[in-house]
Structure formats: C-alpha cells, structure tokens
Amino acid sequence: FRADTIEVPTKTKQIARIVPEQPLYASMPWSALVGGVLPFGSVCIELFFIMSALWLHQYFYMMGLLMVVLFILISTCSMVSIVMCYLQLCGEDHRWWWKSFWNCATAGVYLFAYSIWFLSSKLDLVGMLPIAVYLTYMSMISIAFGLLCGSVGFLSCLVFCQRIYGAVKVD
C-alpha cells in the first residue's frame, strides 16, 4: 500500500530564483493573519452554540446545520488559500507550500482568542484548576481546528498549482 508520488507538471530548475520584494499584505505574518479571519468568521456563530453545549451544559440539536457549516468552512478555506496563493504567484514568490498552510491555519489562533473571550464573558469558573482544564481543552481544539483548516488550504493550493501549471504549454 504505497501512495503514488506527486507528479510535477513542469520542469523546474535546481537553483531557486530570487524572490522580489513583496508588498506588505503578501508578507508572511500579515497574510496569515488576514487569511485566518475568513475561515473563522464563517463558523463563529455556530461556534457559540457548540461552546455553549460543551461548557454551559446546553443541548446542541442542530446537527444538519453543523454539516452545512462544515462544508462552508472547507470551501472558505479552499477559496482563501487559492486567492492568497494566486496573489503570491503573481508577485513571483514561488514558496507557496508553507504559506498556503499557514494562511488558513491561523484560524486556530482566532478560535483560541474567541475561547478566551468566552471564558471571560460567559463562564463562571472558580479556581485555577477549572480554568487550566478549560484552556487545555480549548488549546487542543484550536490546534486541531488549525490543522484542519491548514491542511484544506494546502491541499487546495496543491491541486490549484498542479492545474494551472499543467495547462501551461512549454515549447
């Protein structure tokens, strides 16, 4: 059971090109912070109901809507990463692999910030141990959410780059 190797549609040179100076929005920390807002924003309303069900002992009965929101999250991550990758490739920056991951994975950082807001405004936890347990669980959930969004972003950029470079006619 071996996976096939990734087929590269064009030939590349061994020596990498020098990447020209990029605008501010295309540099790494800013593009990742901007790229994480939209995937988080697409699920933030549903996130309130999920966290209320987890931490405030309320019932969560909208499973069908949760599946729709998951599809919206996946499509948002895919579109954001493809647009950011396209802008990066237009600026002649060929190092899109990790940037495509981090552009959507920073939604996990926004989720953790939202969980801190939820802790301070909605929860009445007394003592350090319940707060430590809450922050530990929410950090694990935020990391898993960031890995989900980042992997969707990377895979969609991989398919996008294979398609656009596969369509190039090299004589």
Side-chain angles (χ1 to χ4, degrees):
F1 299 111
R2 289 191 174 180
D4 295 333
T5 58
I6 297 174
E7 294 292 326
V8 182
T10 59
K11 294 220 180 237
T12 58
K13 295 181 182 178
Q14 295 287 23
I15 301 172
R17 291 182 55 189
I18 296 174
V19 177
E21 187 68 31
Q22 298 295 313
L24 183 65
Y25 65 85
S27 64
M28 187 49 201
W30 301 111
S31 69
L33 289 176
V34 169
V37 170
L38 288 175
F40 174 75
S42 67
V43 297
C44 67
I45 300 299
E46 190 71 20
L47 191 62
F48 175 77
F49 295 115
I50 292 171
M51 289 183 67
S52 295
L54 280 175
W55 301 108
L56 296 177
H57 306 294
Q58 295 177 358
Y59 290 109
F60 185 77
Y61 51 87
M62 299 181 285
M63 292 300 173
L65 183 62
L66 184 63
M67 188 63 83
V68 170
V69 169
L70 179 67
F71 289 136
I72 290 172
L73 173 69
I74 289 171
S75 64
T76 304
C77 286
S78 176
M79 294 302 152
V80 164
S81 66
I82 287 173
V83 167
M84 298 293 278
C85 182
Y86 180 74
L87 290 174
Q88 182 180 351
L89 291 174
C90 284
E92 298 179 10
D93 189 0
H94 57 85
R95 301 168 298 181
W96 61 269
W97 292 73
W98 280 105
K99 286 184 182 181
S100 66
F101 177 81
W102 286 112
N103 282 339
C104 290
T106 52
V109 174
Y110 288 111
L111 175 62
F112 190 72
Y114 181 78
S115 68
I116 290 173
W117 173 82
F118 193 82
L119 172 66
S120 65
S121 65
K122 301 291 181 192
L123 295 178
D124 292 328
L125 299 179
V126 179
M128 290 301 294
L129 187 62
I131 293 173
V133 168
Y134 171 78
L135 289 177
T136 303
Y137 277 121
M138 288 312 297
S139 65
M140 289 189 293
I141 291 171
S142 298
I143 289 170
F145 182 72
L147 287 174
L148 170 76
C149 292
S151 62
V152 166
F154 171 74
L155 291 174
S156 62
C157 276
L158 180 66
V159 170
F160 171 72
C161 286
Q162 284 179 339
R163 296 273 167 92
I164 63 169
Y165 286 118
V168 172
K169 302 285 187 205
V170 179
D171 291 333

